[in-house]
Amino acid sequence: MPTKLSRRDFIRLCAGSAAAISMTGFLGPYLSEAVAAGAPPVIWIQGASCTGCSISLLNTVHPDIKKVLTEVISLRYHPNIMAAAGDLALQEMYKVAEENAGNFFLVVEGAVPTGANGAYCTVGEENGHHITFEKLVTDIGKKSAAILSFGTCSAFGGIPATPPNPTECKPVSKVVKDVPVINVPGCPPHPDWMVGTIAHVLLYGIPELDTFGRPTMFFDKIIHDNCQRRQYFDNGIFAKNFGEMGCMLELGCKGPIAHCDATTRLFNGGVNWCVKCGSVCIGCTEPQFPGWPMYERMAEMPVGPATSVTVDQVGGVLGAAAVLGIGGHLAGNVATGRIGPKKNEEEKEGDN
Amino acid sequence: MVKQMEDRHSVWIRFCHWTNMIAITLLILTGYYIHAPHAFRLFSNMDTPRTLHFAMAYVLCFGVVLRVYYAIAAKDAKNIVFSLKEDTPKFPSMIKYYLFMADSHPYYGKYNPGQKMMYTGWLFMALIQIITGFILYKPDMFMALGGFLGGYLAVRLIHYIVTWLFVLSVLAHVYLDISEGIPVLKSMFTGKIPADFDHGTHEEEVKADGGVSA
Ligand code: HEM
Ligand code: SF4
Ligand code: SF4
């Protein structure tokens, strides 16, 4: 049995070159011990999401996800992987939340649709009435010790909240107030970010967060500063097409503005990450994702309702206008004798 | 022929003018390379223009602070700061003059309202560039501010739009100043301008104190 792992070692493990070891594998025994000793249970609910975050979690290897779910985390409710369904499952969740009020953690995957009183996302029935996801999040969330918003949708709104957003999706932190919220963005998040954050809250409480509520142990690095293609950027070698060598900036890479540690952690059990496999970084961990053009370096400039143009187009037109204006004015200046040969003779008269 | 000369620009004004001009020009040139390295082939790598950009960023900060301090300390602000109340009414006569609808214009003070507007605008544009630039330079230090302004991509867009504004306004500035007469251009080097240079018709001056120049 493992002895206690200090918080410092834990952070070092999370922030370090985690590719070498599987974090879940390493943390497993400590977490099992904590769970056996009565660590708080975890409830996982889904709203406006694609289930990608859960799929990403299921990609946890070493130990396999079965072991994680049965031994490492005391997961009491998960819509995709639990056997129970319907009223039975829902009642069980309410019961767990009631019995452990103030002492369980709520994982939310997906944004919260608030339009039409939440009618765009219902999760069950109660006395013949729909239970909206908005109500579920609020009811269960208020009782939890902290909410873990997994994935960019629940952390910042993500895809469902991108304009025009007819369902009025909102991030969890805008719906449930007065409860600490930890944002673990990513589209989807790396399994280590999710398991690591759960581990931290279970073992040590809420981790250190940045301005946007992201645990700094995973999100304090800028992709661009750690990218394997950075040398290309510095040398001014830019790929013009996918598949070419070079920095992906011109193809729309958001590495210079994106925070995550995928460059060293690597996805799919340590195999690869976004730029290394020839894609651009789409900045999936940032609050504004995906409200920007994926494969363009710079967004266009809004000039009217549903109309935008590139800054270069506006600048070019104004520049041409300026050149024409200058040419016209210059011609006028010469014609009226304000400058040129006439000026000297008539300068003093003032009424030429 | 020895001309009677009078002072126009103090040495501090000239110093600020040329450091800011160099900084802004280099910032624009390096900025365009950083923006479009394929289309704007002025450099052969990213290191040089980025280093220059960041160095000139500090020069610009220094130049802006010095110029603002001078404007306040030497009471030069009234010459260059656009005043909505005092300068707006002077616009029609200036526009008439520029459109050749009038042969002369009243005496406006050291600068006409259009120039004042541009110079005041530059202060704000420089401040916008400094703020957005430093957000991009140290994204983690200014994360909250970046988020407040709409995220890093919006910050980048603002930084780029204002770059264009600089290009366009510098174009107008250079033309208008040169077309006003070579002595005006020379005065930014020597500090002096011929005493009989036509600054406008004094009789038409509306307010006595309105713009008596330094
Ligand atoms: C007149 C002032 C300035 C002009 C005209 C200017 C222009 C530009 C332009 C055109 C870009 C490329 C934008 C893009 O495509 O993403 C850029 C990038 C940048 N600028 Fe400026 N800039 C100015 C001042 C500043 C200042 C004061 C700073 C402060 C540090 C700054 C920091 C940056 C940074 C960090 C970048 C991104 C470069 C990179 O990470 O590769 N700029 N600038
Ligand atoms: S590929 Fe993207 S993250 Fe990598 S160096 Fe280029 S811009 Fe930066
Ligand atoms: S590298 Fe970019 S796209 Fe990939 S996970 Fe990180 S933020 Fe998302």
Side-chain angles (χ1 to χ4, degrees):
Chain A
M1 263 292 165
T3 48
K4 204 153 165 45
L5 179 69
S6 80
R7 188 171 169 278
R8 266 188 67 201
D9 286 340
F10 177 88
I11 299 289
R12 204 157 50 213
L13 178 78
C14 288
S17 59
I21 27 160
S22 155
M23 204 166 76
T24 321
F26 190 83
L27 287 176
Y30 296 102
L31 284 166
S32 310
E33 195 184 32
V35 166
V42 176
I43 293 175
W44 183 306
I45 56 177
Q46 294 169 330
S49 78
C50 69
T51 320
C53 304
S54 290
I55 303 292
S56 182
L57 181 78
L58 297 184
N59 266 334
T60 305
V61 279
H62 315 299
D64 63 32
I65 184 64
K66 191 167 140 229
K67 189 149 181 249
V68 172
L69 292 176
T70 51
E71 292 172 27
V72 177
I73 304 172
S74 165
L75 191 62
R76 297 294 186 79
Y77 185 95
H78 190 299
N80 301 127
I81 50 184
M82 64 191 177
D87 268 354
L88 191 66
L90 215 55
Q91 275 162 22
E92 170 66 13
M93 167 163 54
Y94 276 109
K95 208 173 107 214
V96 172
E98 205 57 62
E99 284 169 3
N100 298 279
N103 189 39
F104 71 95
F105 293 101
L106 177 67
V107 172
V108 183
E109 178 182 353
V112 189
T114 62
N117 292 322
Y120 291 112
C121 185
T122 58
V123 286
E125 274 183 12
E126 196 176 33
N127 309 327
H129 290 291
H130 289 307
I131 304 177
T132 65
F133 184 64
E134 187 182 7
K135 181 169 173 348
L136 184 75
V137 171
T138 322
D139 288 351
I140 306 279
K142 270 195 296 208
K143 298 200 179 86
S144 67
I147 297 176
L148 316 185
S149 290
F150 280 4
T152 304
C153 300
S154 93
F156 305 127
I159 293 174
T162 297
N165 191 8
T167 56
E168 290 169 46
C169 278
K170 285 187 182 159
V172 175
S173 54
K174 291 254 168 68
V175 173
V176 189
K177 312 274 178 179
D178 309 324
V179 178
V181 175
I182 302 165
N183 290 330
V184 183
C187 199
H190 192 288
D192 282 3
W193 304 341
M194 296 186 273
V195 174
T197 306
I198 292 181
H200 196 289
V201 295
L202 293 182
L203 296 172
Y204 314 105
I206 293 177
E208 190 196 339
L209 306 176
D210 72 10
T211 309
F212 297 128
R214 300 176 289 200
T216 51
M217 56 191 176
F218 301 119
F219 298 100
D220 68 341
K221 295 186 193 70
I222 292 210
I223 290 297
H224 187 56
D225 292 342
N226 298 280
C227 175
Q228 288 89 346
R229 298 200 186 204
R230 176 58 189 253
Q231 199 59 45
Y232 287 127
F233 173 87
D234 289 335
N235 292 337
I237 301 169
F238 295 93
K240 285 186 188 135
N241 299 294
F242 285 96
E244 283 177 17
M245 68 164 199
C247 163
M248 306 299 282
L249 188 66
E250 293 289 276
L251 293 168
C253 187
K254 304 293 180 293
I257 57 177
H259 291 78
C260 87
D261 61 6
T263 54
T264 48
R265 189 170 302 280
L266 306 177
F267 276 82
N268 295 333
V271 175
N272 218 332
W273 72 282
C274 318
V275 170
K276 197 179 165 205
C277 74
S279 170
V280 297
C281 163
I282 55 177
C284 71
T285 58
E286 294 303 310
Q288 293 78 25
F289 172 85
W292 49 46
M294 297 286 168
Y295 303 112
E296 301 285 340
R297 172 143 185 219
M298 188 168 276
E300 295 195 339
M301 189 178 147
V303 288
T307 326
S308 62
V309 288
T310 69
V311 181
D312 290 330
Q313 282 166 349
V314 177
V317 168
L318 291 180
V323 169
L324 283 178
I326 288 175
H329 196 258
L330 191 63
N333 263 343
V334 175
T336 56
R338 278 190 200 168
I339 57 176
K342 277 203 232 163
K343 182 178 164 106
N344 291 338
E345 306 147 25
E346 300 177 22
E347 196 172 36
K348 296 278 157 62
E349 291 165 29
D351 61 350
N352 49 318
Chain B
M1 184 176 83
V2 180
K3 271 193 187 166
Q4 194 74 29
M5 301 297 270
E6 63 183 23
D7 286 339
R8 183 165 171 85
H9 304 296
S10 75
V11 64
W12 290 109
I13 291 183
R14 283 176 278 149
F15 177 74
C16 286
H17 177 268
W18 293 115
T19 42
N20 286 337
M21 175 266 186
I22 291 168
I24 291 172
T25 308
L26 287 177
L27 281 163
I28 290 173
L29 293 177
T30 53
Y32 269 107
Y33 179 81
I34 295 167
H35 176 74
H38 279 311
F40 196 78
R41 295 178 175 275
L42 195 66
F43 301 90
S44 62
N45 63 46
M46 266 291 167
D47 262 358
T48 320
R50 287 180 86 239
T51 312
L52 248 170
H53 199 83
F54 305 147
M56 287 305 132
Y58 283 106
V59 174
L60 180 70
C61 294
F62 165 79
V64 167
V65 170
L66 192 68
R67 189 66 183 84
V68 169
Y69 174 75
Y70 178 84
I72 296 167
K75 305 208 169 21
D76 167 56
K78 66 176 189 318
N79 289 329
I80 51 171
V81 176
F82 183 80
S83 143
L84 222 66
K85 216 169 86 223
E86 308 225 327
D87 290 319
T88 316
K90 299 177 184 167
F91 255 105
S93 65
M94 181 195 83
I95 289 171
K96 269 192 196 151
Y97 176 76
Y98 275 140
L99 293 183
F100 306 105
M101 288 155 70
D103 288 329
S104 65
H105 60 81
Y107 175 67
Y108 297 117
K110 188 171 178 185
Y111 298 117
N112 71 38
Q115 286 170 313
K116 279 179 155 181
M117 198 180 223
M118 191 183 277
Y119 303 155
T120 312
W122 277 345
L123 172 63
F124 288 103
M125 279 156 63
L127 290 177
I128 293 172
Q129 289 304 70
I130 289 170
I131 291 167
T132 53
F134 272 99
I135 293 173
L136 293 173
Y137 188 43
K138 293 265 178 253
D140 286 320
M141 206 185 275
F142 303 109
M143 199 184 268
L145 191 58
F148 173 74
L149 291 177
Y152 298 110
L153 216 68
V155 169
R156 230 187 200 179
L157 190 62
I158 298 171
H159 201 73
Y160 190 56
I161 291 174
V162 175
T163 300
W164 263 108
L165 290 181
F166 263 112
V167 172
L168 294 171
S169 55
V170 166
L171 205 66
H173 168 70
V174 170
Y175 167 71
L176 288 176
D177 273 41
I178 293 180
S179 75
E180 223 183 295
I182 299 298
V184 174
L185 180 65
K186 261 197 200 154
S187 73
M188 198 39 98
F189 292 96
T190 62
K192 297 193 189 311
I193 197 155
D196 61 356
F197 188 82
D198 181 13
H199 291 290
T201 317
H202 280 264
E203 294 81 56
E204 292 178 50
E205 172 74 74
V206 197
K207 287 195 197 75
D209 67 329
V212 178
S213 79

